[in-house]
Short mmCIF file of all heavy atoms in Angstrom, two decimals:
data_model
loop_
_atom_site.label_atom_id
_atom_site.label_comp_id
_atom_site.label_asym_id
_atom_site.label_seq_id
_atom_site.Cartn_x
_atom_site.Cartn_y
_atom_site.Cartn_z
N ASN T 215 2.43 46.79 -70.68
CA ASN T 215 1.86 45.48 -70.97
C ASN T 215 1.71 44.61 -69.73
O ASN T 215 0.81 43.78 -69.65
CB ASN T 215 2.72 44.76 -72.02
CG ASN T 215 4.18 44.62 -71.56
OD1 ASN T 215 4.54 45.08 -70.50
ND2 ASN T 215 4.99 43.99 -72.40
N LYS T 216 2.58 44.81 -68.73
CA LYS T 216 2.45 44.04 -67.49
C LYS T 216 1.17 44.40 -66.76
O LYS T 216 0.41 43.54 -66.32
CB LYS T 216 3.66 44.29 -66.59
CG LYS T 216 5.00 43.99 -67.25
CD LYS T 216 5.14 42.53 -67.60
CE LYS T 216 6.51 42.24 -68.20
NZ LYS T 216 6.64 40.84 -68.63
N VAL T 217 0.93 45.71 -66.62
CA VAL T 217 -0.27 46.16 -65.92
C VAL T 217 -1.52 45.81 -66.71
O VAL T 217 -2.49 45.25 -66.17
CB VAL T 217 -0.20 47.69 -65.67
CG1 VAL T 217 -1.46 48.18 -64.96
CG2 VAL T 217 1.03 48.03 -64.85
N TYR T 218 -1.50 46.10 -68.01
CA TYR T 218 -2.68 45.85 -68.84
C TYR T 218 -3.00 44.36 -68.91
O TYR T 218 -4.16 43.96 -68.85
CB TYR T 218 -2.45 46.41 -70.24
CG TYR T 218 -3.63 46.23 -71.18
CD1 TYR T 218 -4.72 47.09 -71.11
CD2 TYR T 218 -3.65 45.21 -72.12
CE1 TYR T 218 -5.81 46.93 -71.95
CE2 TYR T 218 -4.73 45.04 -72.97
CZ TYR T 218 -5.80 45.90 -72.88
OH TYR T 218 -6.88 45.74 -73.71
N GLY T 219 -1.97 43.53 -69.05
CA GLY T 219 -2.18 42.10 -69.12
C GLY T 219 -2.80 41.53 -67.86
O GLY T 219 -3.72 40.71 -67.91
N SER T 220 -2.32 42.00 -66.70
CA SER T 220 -2.86 41.51 -65.43
C SER T 220 -4.31 41.96 -65.25
O SER T 220 -5.18 41.17 -64.85
CB SER T 220 -2.00 42.02 -64.26
OG SER T 220 -0.67 41.56 -64.39
N VAL T 221 -4.58 43.23 -65.56
CA VAL T 221 -5.95 43.75 -65.41
C VAL T 221 -6.90 43.05 -66.37
O VAL T 221 -8.03 42.68 -66.01
CB VAL T 221 -5.98 45.27 -65.64
CG1 VAL T 221 -7.41 45.80 -65.67
CG2 VAL T 221 -5.17 45.99 -64.56
N LYS T 222 -6.44 42.80 -67.60
CA LYS T 222 -7.30 42.14 -68.59
C LYS T 222 -7.60 40.71 -68.17
O LYS T 222 -8.72 40.20 -68.38
CB LYS T 222 -6.65 42.17 -69.96
CG LYS T 222 -7.52 41.56 -71.05
CD LYS T 222 -6.94 41.79 -72.41
CE LYS T 222 -7.78 41.09 -73.47
NZ LYS T 222 -9.20 41.53 -73.41
N GLN T 223 -6.62 40.05 -67.57
CA GLN T 223 -6.85 38.68 -67.12
C GLN T 223 -7.93 38.64 -66.05
O GLN T 223 -8.81 37.77 -66.06
CB GLN T 223 -5.55 38.09 -66.58
CG GLN T 223 -5.65 36.62 -66.19
CD GLN T 223 -4.34 36.07 -65.66
OE1 GLN T 223 -3.48 36.83 -65.22
NE2 GLN T 223 -4.18 34.77 -65.69
N ILE T 224 -7.88 39.60 -65.12
CA ILE T 224 -8.89 39.65 -64.05
C ILE T 224 -10.27 39.98 -64.62
O ILE T 224 -11.27 39.33 -64.29
CB ILE T 224 -8.47 40.67 -62.99
CG1 ILE T 224 -7.17 40.22 -62.30
CG2 ILE T 224 -9.57 40.86 -61.95
CD1 ILE T 224 -6.61 41.24 -61.34
N THR T 225 -10.34 40.98 -65.49
CA THR T 225 -11.64 41.37 -66.03
C THR T 225 -12.22 40.28 -66.93
O THR T 225 -13.44 40.07 -66.94
CB THR T 225 -11.53 42.69 -66.82
OG1 THR T 225 -10.51 42.54 -67.83
CG2 THR T 225 -11.17 43.84 -65.89
N ASP T 226 -11.38 39.60 -67.69
CA ASP T 226 -11.88 38.50 -68.52
C ASP T 226 -12.48 37.40 -67.66
O ASP T 226 -13.53 36.83 -67.99
CB ASP T 226 -10.76 37.93 -69.39
CG ASP T 226 -10.42 38.83 -70.56
OD1 ASP T 226 -11.20 39.77 -70.82
OD2 ASP T 226 -9.39 38.62 -71.21
N PHE T 227 -11.81 37.11 -66.56
CA PHE T 227 -12.32 36.06 -65.68
C PHE T 227 -13.63 36.48 -65.02
O PHE T 227 -14.55 35.69 -64.87
CB PHE T 227 -11.28 35.73 -64.60
CG PHE T 227 -11.68 34.61 -63.69
CD1 PHE T 227 -11.40 33.30 -64.01
CD2 PHE T 227 -12.36 34.87 -62.50
CE1 PHE T 227 -11.78 32.26 -63.18
CE2 PHE T 227 -12.75 33.84 -61.66
CZ PHE T 227 -12.45 32.54 -62.00
N PHE T 229 -15.87 39.06 -65.96
CA PHE T 229 -16.99 39.57 -66.75
C PHE T 229 -17.20 38.87 -68.08
O PHE T 229 -18.34 38.84 -68.56
CB PHE T 229 -16.79 41.07 -67.03
CG PHE T 229 -16.65 41.89 -65.79
CD1 PHE T 229 -15.45 42.53 -65.49
CD2 PHE T 229 -17.69 42.02 -64.89
CE1 PHE T 229 -15.31 43.28 -64.35
CE2 PHE T 229 -17.56 42.76 -63.74
CZ PHE T 229 -16.37 43.40 -63.47
#
Side-chain angles (χ1 to χ4, degrees):
N215 57 358
K216 304 297 183 183
V217 179
Y218 181 80
S220 300
V221 173
K222 183 171 176 56
Q223 185 180 21
I224 295 174
T225 55
D226 284 348
F227 183 88
F229 302 114

